[in-house]
Amino acid sequence: NAGVTQTPKFQVLKTGQSMTLQCAQDMNHNSMYWYRQDPGMGLRLIYYSASEGTTDKGEVPNGYNVSRLNKREFSLRLESAAPSQTSVYFCASRYRGPLVPQHFGDGTRLSIL
Amino acid sequence: GESVGLHLPTLSVQEGDNSIINCAYSNSASDYFIWYKQESGKGPQFIIDIRSNMDKRQGQRVTVLLNKTVKHLSLQIAATQPGDSAVYFCAEEKTSYDKVIFGPGTSLSVIP
Protein backbone atom coordinates (compact mmCIF):
# COMPACT_ATOMS: atom_id res chain seq x y z
CA ASN A 1 0.00 0.00 0.00
CA ALA A 2 1.93 3.04 -1.27
CA GLY A 3 -0.40 5.80 0.02
CA VAL A 4 0.43 9.12 -1.68
CA THR A 5 3.26 8.98 -4.22
CA GLN A 6 4.97 12.07 -5.63
CA THR A 7 7.42 12.37 -8.51
CA PRO A 8 10.03 13.64 -8.87
CA LYS A 9 11.61 13.86 -5.41
CA PHE A 10 14.09 16.56 -6.41
CA GLN A 11 14.23 19.01 -9.30
CA VAL A 12 16.31 22.03 -10.28
CA LEU A 13 14.90 24.43 -12.86
CA LYS A 14 16.03 27.63 -14.48
CA THR A 15 13.83 30.71 -14.29
CA GLY A 16 11.20 30.57 -17.01
CA GLN A 17 11.23 26.80 -17.44
CA SER A 18 8.07 24.80 -16.99
CA MET A 19 7.43 21.47 -15.31
CA THR A 20 4.71 19.26 -13.92
CA LEU A 21 4.76 17.64 -10.51
CA GLN A 22 2.95 14.33 -10.41
CA CYS A 23 0.90 12.88 -7.55
CA ALA A 24 -1.06 9.66 -7.24
CA GLN A 25 -2.92 8.04 -4.35
CA ASP A 26 -4.10 4.46 -4.11
CA MET A 27 -6.52 4.85 -1.18
CA ASN A 28 -9.63 5.68 -3.24
CA HIS A 29 -9.71 9.15 -1.69
CA ASN A 30 -12.00 11.83 -3.03
CA SER A 31 -10.07 14.93 -1.94
CA MET A 32 -6.56 15.78 -3.07
CA TYR A 33 -4.41 18.80 -2.33
CA TRP A 34 -1.20 20.58 -3.28
CA TYR A 35 0.72 22.48 -0.60
CA ARG A 36 4.00 24.30 -0.45
CA GLN A 37 6.20 24.39 2.64
CA ASP A 38 8.72 27.15 3.18
CA PRO A 39 11.21 27.45 6.08
CA GLY A 40 9.64 28.73 9.30
CA MET A 41 6.17 28.87 7.79
CA GLY A 42 3.14 26.66 7.96
CA LEU A 43 1.94 24.70 4.96
CA ARG A 44 0.09 26.84 2.45
CA LEU A 45 -2.59 25.46 0.16
CA ILE A 46 -2.03 26.03 -3.55
CA TYR A 47 -4.98 24.14 -5.04
CA TYR A 48 -7.28 21.38 -4.00
CA SER A 49 -9.75 19.03 -5.62
CA ALA A 50 -12.74 17.87 -3.63
CA SER A 51 -13.64 15.23 -6.19
CA GLU A 52 -12.75 14.02 -9.66
CA GLY A 53 -13.47 16.78 -12.16
CA THR A 54 -13.36 19.68 -9.72
CA THR A 55 -10.53 21.97 -8.66
CA ASP A 56 -10.43 25.09 -6.49
CA LYS A 57 -7.85 27.72 -5.69
CA GLY A 58 -6.24 27.77 -2.32
CA GLU A 59 -4.28 30.45 -0.52
CA VAL A 60 -1.37 30.84 -3.00
CA PRO A 61 -2.51 29.75 -6.51
CA ASN A 62 -0.70 32.36 -8.61
CA GLY A 63 1.85 30.87 -10.99
CA TYR A 64 0.39 27.35 -10.76
CA ASN A 65 -2.18 25.23 -12.55
CA VAL A 66 -3.58 21.84 -11.65
CA SER A 67 -5.27 18.89 -13.31
CA ARG A 68 -7.33 16.21 -11.62
CA LEU A 69 -6.69 13.61 -14.27
CA ASN A 70 -8.82 10.94 -12.59
CA LYS A 71 -9.68 9.93 -9.04
CA ARG A 72 -6.11 8.74 -8.38
CA GLU A 73 -4.00 11.49 -9.95
CA PHE A 74 -3.62 15.21 -9.28
CA SER A 75 -0.83 17.11 -11.03
CA LEU A 76 0.63 20.56 -10.38
CA ARG A 77 2.14 22.59 -13.22
CA LEU A 78 4.48 25.54 -13.10
CA GLU A 79 4.19 27.27 -16.48
CA SER A 80 7.07 29.73 -16.07
CA ALA A 81 9.10 29.01 -12.96
CA ALA A 82 10.27 31.89 -10.75
CA PRO A 83 12.83 31.85 -7.90
CA SER A 84 9.97 32.62 -5.44
CA GLN A 85 8.57 29.18 -6.25
CA THR A 86 11.59 27.47 -4.73
CA SER A 87 10.00 25.34 -2.06
CA VAL A 88 9.06 21.85 -0.96
CA TYR A 89 5.78 20.77 -2.52
CA PHE A 90 3.50 18.25 -0.87
CA CYS A 91 0.57 16.42 -2.32
CA ALA A 92 -2.03 15.18 0.15
CA SER A 93 -5.35 13.39 0.22
CA ARG A 94 -8.36 12.61 2.36
CA TYR A 95 -11.32 10.28 1.80
CA ARG A 96 -13.84 13.04 2.45
CA GLY A 97 -15.07 15.30 5.21
CA PRO A 98 -13.06 18.19 6.65
CA LEU A 99 -10.79 20.12 4.35
CA VAL A 100 -7.64 19.40 6.30
CA PRO A 101 -5.83 16.39 4.77
CA GLN A 102 -4.81 13.21 6.55
CA HIS A 103 -2.27 11.63 4.21
CA PHE A 104 0.74 13.32 2.64
CA GLY A 105 3.36 12.29 0.12
CA ASP A 106 7.05 12.72 0.91
CA GLY A 107 7.38 15.90 -1.14
CA THR A 108 9.15 17.31 -4.17
CA ARG A 109 12.09 19.57 -3.38
CA LEU A 110 12.14 22.19 -6.13
CA SER A 111 14.86 24.78 -6.65
CA ILE A 112 14.51 27.55 -9.21
CA LEU A 113 17.73 29.28 -10.20
CA GLY B 1 13.84 23.37 27.77
CA GLU B 2 12.06 25.33 25.07
CA SER B 3 13.64 28.09 23.04
CA VAL B 4 12.80 30.15 20.01
CA GLY B 5 15.56 30.36 17.45
CA LEU B 6 15.75 31.79 14.00
CA HIS B 7 13.47 29.07 12.70
CA LEU B 8 11.33 26.71 14.69
CA PRO B 9 10.94 26.60 18.45
CA THR B 10 12.85 23.63 19.85
CA LEU B 11 11.95 21.34 22.71
CA SER B 12 14.59 19.00 24.12
CA VAL B 13 13.53 16.13 26.35
CA GLN B 14 15.24 13.15 27.93
CA GLU B 15 14.32 9.73 26.62
CA GLY B 16 11.58 8.27 28.78
CA ASP B 17 10.23 11.63 29.93
CA ASN B 18 6.87 13.00 28.84
CA SER B 19 6.77 15.74 26.20
CA ILE B 20 4.27 18.55 25.90
CA ILE B 21 4.08 20.48 22.66
CA ASN B 22 1.89 23.54 22.48
CA CYS B 23 -0.02 25.29 19.74
CA ALA B 24 -1.90 28.58 19.94
CA TYR B 25 -4.55 28.59 17.26
CA SER B 26 -5.85 31.73 15.66
CA ASN B 27 -9.58 31.37 14.97
CA SER B 28 -11.96 31.04 17.89
CA ALA B 29 -14.53 29.60 15.45
CA SER B 30 -12.28 26.69 14.39
CA ASP B 31 -14.01 23.39 15.06
CA TYR B 32 -11.55 20.72 13.99
CA PHE B 33 -7.88 20.27 14.85
CA ILE B 34 -5.13 17.88 13.80
CA TRP B 35 -1.61 17.20 15.05
CA TYR B 36 1.03 16.07 12.56
CA LYS B 37 4.53 14.67 12.94
CA GLN B 38 7.09 15.46 10.25
CA GLU B 39 10.41 13.67 10.17
CA SER B 40 13.33 15.11 8.25
CA GLY B 41 12.90 14.62 4.51
CA LYS B 42 9.42 13.17 4.88
CA GLY B 43 5.88 14.36 4.50
CA PRO B 44 3.66 15.20 7.49
CA GLN B 45 2.12 12.19 9.20
CA PHE B 46 -1.30 12.36 10.87
CA ILE B 47 -1.07 11.68 14.62
CA ILE B 48 -4.39 12.54 16.20
CA ASP B 49 -7.38 14.82 15.68
CA ILE B 50 -9.99 16.40 17.92
CA ARG B 51 -13.26 18.23 17.36
CA SER B 52 -14.27 21.33 19.26
CA ASN B 53 -17.01 19.48 21.16
CA MET B 54 -14.27 17.59 23.01
CA ASP B 55 -11.52 18.84 25.33
CA LYS B 56 -9.38 15.71 25.44
CA ARG B 57 -8.65 12.76 23.21
CA GLN B 58 -6.20 9.92 23.70
CA GLY B 59 -4.34 7.76 21.25
CA GLN B 60 -1.43 5.40 21.58
CA ARG B 61 1.09 7.23 23.84
CA VAL B 62 -0.37 10.58 22.74
CA THR B 63 -3.03 12.84 24.21
CA VAL B 64 -4.42 16.01 22.71
CA LEU B 65 -5.92 18.67 24.96
CA LEU B 66 -8.08 21.51 23.68
CA ASN B 67 -8.71 24.68 25.67
CA LYS B 68 -11.14 26.78 23.69
CA THR B 69 -11.20 29.56 26.27
CA VAL B 70 -7.61 30.53 25.51
CA LYS B 71 -7.45 29.02 21.99
CA HIS B 72 -4.77 26.54 22.97
CA LEU B 73 -4.02 23.04 21.79
CA SER B 74 -1.42 20.73 23.27
CA LEU B 75 0.05 17.38 22.34
CA GLN B 76 1.35 15.19 25.12
CA ILE B 77 3.68 12.30 24.27
CA ALA B 78 4.20 9.74 27.02
CA ALA B 79 7.56 8.02 27.57
CA THR B 80 9.25 9.89 24.72
CA GLN B 81 11.47 7.76 22.52
CA PRO B 82 14.30 8.68 20.08
CA GLY B 83 11.95 7.86 17.21
CA ASP B 84 9.70 10.70 18.36
CA SER B 85 12.32 13.26 17.30
CA ALA B 86 10.64 15.31 14.58
CA VAL B 87 8.80 18.55 13.91
CA TYR B 88 5.26 18.60 15.27
CA PHE B 89 2.67 21.04 14.05
CA CYS B 90 -1.02 21.62 14.46
CA ALA B 91 -3.71 22.53 11.95
CA GLU B 92 -7.08 24.16 12.58
CA GLU B 93 -10.14 24.27 10.40
CA LYS B 94 -13.48 26.05 10.44
CA THR B 95 -15.31 23.73 8.10
CA SER B 96 -17.92 26.17 6.81
CA TYR B 97 -15.16 28.64 5.89
CA ASP B 98 -13.26 25.95 3.97
CA LYS B 99 -9.99 27.27 5.28
CA VAL B 100 -7.23 25.43 7.07
CA ILE B 101 -4.43 27.15 8.99
CA PHE B 102 -1.23 25.25 9.72
CA GLY B 103 1.16 26.25 12.47
CA PRO B 104 4.89 26.46 11.70
CA GLY B 105 5.70 23.71 14.17
CA THR B 106 7.95 22.81 17.08
CA SER B 107 11.07 20.73 16.71
CA LEU B 108 11.25 17.93 19.30
CA SER B 109 14.70 16.56 20.07
CA VAL B 110 14.95 13.45 22.25
CA ILE B 111 18.17 13.02 24.20
CA PRO B 112 19.11 9.33 24.59
Side-chain angles (χ1 to χ4, degrees), chain A:
Chain A
N1 188 353
V4 179
T5 303
Q6 292 183 234
T7 55
K9 295 189 185 303
F10 302 93
Q11 185 71 48
V12 179
L13 294 177
K14 294 181 180 178
T15 298
Q17 287 185 315
S18 62
M19 83 161 294
T20 300
L21 280 60
Q22 306 288 351
C23 174
Q25 51 90 9
D26 62 2
M27 297 171 283
N28 199 37
H29 285 177
N30 294 294
S31 301
M32 296 186 73
Y33 318 77
W34 276 105
Y35 286 91
R36 61 178 289 173
Q37 186 176 46
D38 299 295
M41 299 180 69
L43 289 164
R44 292 184 291 169
L45 181 65
I46 305 171
Y47 272 94
Y48 71 99
S49 172
S51 62
E52 183 179 354
T54 68
T55 61
D56 287 283
K57 294 179 180 179
E59 183 183 354
V60 288
N62 291 343
Y64 306 95
N65 285 301
V66 291
S67 296
R68 184 75 183 266
L69 303 171
N70 47 55
K71 192 170 186 179
R72 290 186 64 248
E73 299 173 287
F74 189 38
S75 63
L76 177 72
R77 182 162 179 85
L78 286 70
E79 291 291 351
S80 179
S84 62
Q85 294 178 304
T86 293
S87 188
V88 182
Y89 292 85
F90 289 101
C91 178
S93 71
R94 188 182 184 106
Y95 179 60
R96 61 184 172 191
L99 185 64
V100 59
Q102 283 192 321
H103 301 270
F104 284 81
D106 282 338
T108 295
R109 283 141 187 87
L110 183 62
S111 293
I112 316 265
L113 305 178

Side-chain angles (χ1 to χ4, degrees), chain B:
Chain B
E2 184 169 352
S3 64
V4 177
L6 290 176
H7 299 288
L8 298 176
T10 300
L11 177 65
S12 297
V13 298
Q14 204 73 35
E15 181 179 357
D17 287 351
N18 296 334
S19 302
I20 299 176
I21 301 168
N22 297 304
C23 178
Y25 63 91
S26 61
N27 186 354
S28 58
S30 291
D31 54 13
Y32 181 64
F33 305 87
I34 285 186
W35 276 103
Y36 297 94
K37 171 187 181 182
Q38 187 174 19
E39 296 175 270
S40 181
K42 298 287 188 180
Q45 177 186 359
F46 171 88
I47 301 174
I48 192 168
D49 60 0
I50 188 168
R51 294 195 177 272
S52 58
N53 61 353
M54 303 171 69
D55 53 21
K56 180 179 180 179
R57 190 168 187 216
Q58 289 184 291
Q60 188 175 15
R61 278 201 310 118
V62 295
T63 300
V64 56
L65 299 177
L66 176 62
N67 185 332
K68 295 182 285 294
T69 302
V70 294
K71 295 190 294 183
H72 185 267
L73 196 66
S74 68
L75 178 71
Q76 300 178 2
I77 305 173
T80 312
Q81 303 168 0
D84 295 327
S85 293
V87 172
Y88 293 81
F89 59 92
C90 65
E92 59 177 298
E93 177 180 352
K94 176 64 179 89
T95 50
S96 64
Y97 292 157
D98 278 349
K99 182 173 174 61
V100 179
I101 300 172
F102 291 86
T106 295
S107 178
L108 175 66
S109 178
V110 181
I111 305 165

